[in-house]
Amino acid sequence: MNYAIRPDHPVFDSPAYQQDIHLLEVLDTVIRPTAFLLLSDGENFVIGRNRLDLAAWVWTKDGHDADTLDTVCRLLHIHFAGRVIHFTAKENAARAMAEHFERQGYRQQSGMGLIAYTLREVRMPEDKGPIRPARMDELDTLARMYEDFQIACFGELQNTQCRAHMQSAIEAGSLRVLAHDDRIQCIVNAAPKTPGGHTRIAMVYTVPDAQGQGYAKWLTAQVCRDELTRCPWALLYADADNPRSNAAYRRIGFEKMGVIREIKMVKDGMSE
């Protein structure tokens, strides 16, 4: 069977896929239009990948059977040529896939859970000071903060073009900062998915010596309140293993939608 599909395949309009479209927004809006790998059986799963240095994203229909899981794992094994296997999927599917590869002699090298939250009404926390758009004369500082954000979240730089990325965010007006005494304490990047569509909070980061003071909670709430004057709701992904940040997001009104997990599987003596 030929599993290769195009980005306009009908599976993307199916009720089962549409049910998970916000939980797997990266697959649908970032990977799907630019994928060099896009596979599906037309009903039960989609596999997409658009960058060699990042994971393949996998959507599976709720209630899929063992044959579907076996097919997904077989296709991933072929795609990664039996080397390091790197994927992101819904929580239960990701864990089942990891168990499948463990039976084949792989072990989990790394993993990260992300909780998807939605927000429709903000509960404002304690005021921590004025916020403002990031400025171009702060680009060097902001690029370093983006590097630190990636290391803190992923343990590595998933995007090495930090300066260009932050410059684009400044130019788009999507990057806001909270600064005290001319020193940036916290940054939040948020932008609408489409005109009139929801807003995705793409990055929240507080410098280490300012953490625990409520800056991220305040800045995120302020940004979301502003965004919700133009968009119906906001989406945010949070590290499932960071209870402090998750509690902060819930306190300002975010509600859990679901969990996805990124996993990297390796065999001893294997190189990427």
Side-chain angles (χ1 to χ4, degrees):
M1 179 176 179
N2 180 13
Y3 293 99
I5 62 170
R6 294 175 54 85
D8 59 354
H9 191 280
V11 68
F12 297 112
D13 296 320
S14 68
Y17 182 85
Q18 287 294 313
Q19 175 181 295
D20 294 324
I21 195 169
H22 297 309
L23 179 60
L24 296 172
E25 181 175 279
V26 172
L27 171 61
D28 193 68
T29 63
V30 179
I31 296 176
R32 174 183 167 191
T34 60
F36 64 80
L37 176 78
L38 203 56
L39 307 174
S40 178
D41 66 348
E43 179 182 1
N44 297 296
F45 72 84
V46 173
I47 300 173
R49 197 177 187 206
N50 69 336
R51 283 178 51 177
L52 289 172
D53 57 333
L54 297 181
W57 278 60
V58 180
W59 168 77
T60 49
K61 183 179 179 179
D62 285 348
H64 62 78
D65 57 21
D67 288 341
T68 295
L69 185 70
D70 287 345
T71 299
V72 168
C73 291
R74 177 170 56 84
L75 292 172
L76 286 173
H77 192 268
I78 292 170
H79 170 65
F80 286 99
R83 296 191 295 270
V84 175
I85 298 176
H86 192 189
F87 56 86
T88 298
K90 290 187 290 185
E91 173 85 343
N92 290 340
R95 293 191 183 279
M97 291 157 61
E99 291 174 1
H100 176 100
F101 288 119
E102 285 171 354
R103 291 193 293 269
Q104 296 184 359
Y106 285 81
R107 61 177 175 81
Q108 184 172 318
Q109 182 186 67
S110 62
M112 179 182 182
L114 293 173
I115 300 176
Y117 288 101
T118 59
L119 175 72
R120 296 182 183 276
E121 185 174 351
V122 184
R123 294 194 294 266
M124 295 304 295
E126 179 185 352
D127 190 326
K128 295 294 181 178
I131 72 169
R132 59 171 174 78
R135 302 191 306 258
M136 198 60 71
D137 65 309
E138 298 168 324
L139 181 56
D140 289 342
T141 297
L142 294 166
R144 287 193 298 271
M145 292 180 73
Y146 184 42
E147 289 181 357
D148 293 341
F149 164 77
Q150 292 185 81
I151 296 297
C153 288
F154 312 116
E156 61 183 4
L157 292 182
Q158 293 196 344
N159 182 351
T160 58
Q161 304 300 313
C162 296
R163 187 179 177 86
H165 179 82
M166 298 307 275
Q167 181 174 336
S168 296
I170 296 170
E171 291 172 345
S174 63
L175 188 63
R176 280 82 145 195
V177 306
L178 174 67
H180 287 168
D181 299 323
D182 293 325
R183 181 173 181 264
I184 297 176
Q185 306 290 325
C186 183
I187 56 176
V188 169
N189 191 20
K193 176 183 174 184
T194 57
H198 69 271
T199 287
R200 182 160 71 92
I201 308 301
M203 176 177 61
V204 179
Y205 181 71
T206 305
V207 297
D209 61 1
Q211 292 176 6
Q213 300 184 50
Y215 293 151
K217 182 169 57 177
W218 167 249
L219 180 55
T220 303
Q222 283 277 65
V223 168
C224 287
R225 185 170 66 175
D226 182 48
E227 290 293 321
L228 291 180
T229 64
R230 298 182 291 274
C231 303
W233 59 281
L235 171 69
L236 177 147
Y237 293 102
D239 182 354
D241 296 322
N242 188 331
R244 186 169 66 183
S245 65
N246 281 275
Y249 295 136
R250 290 193 296 269
R251 280 195 291 270
I252 63 175
F254 278 97
E255 298 180 350
K256 181 178 175 180
M257 176 171 58
V259 184
I260 58 176
R261 184 162 293 274
E262 178 179 345
I263 295 177
K264 185 178 286 188
M265 307 293 297
V266 300
K267 279 185 176 179
D268 290 337
M270 183 178 290
S271 64
E272 297 188 43

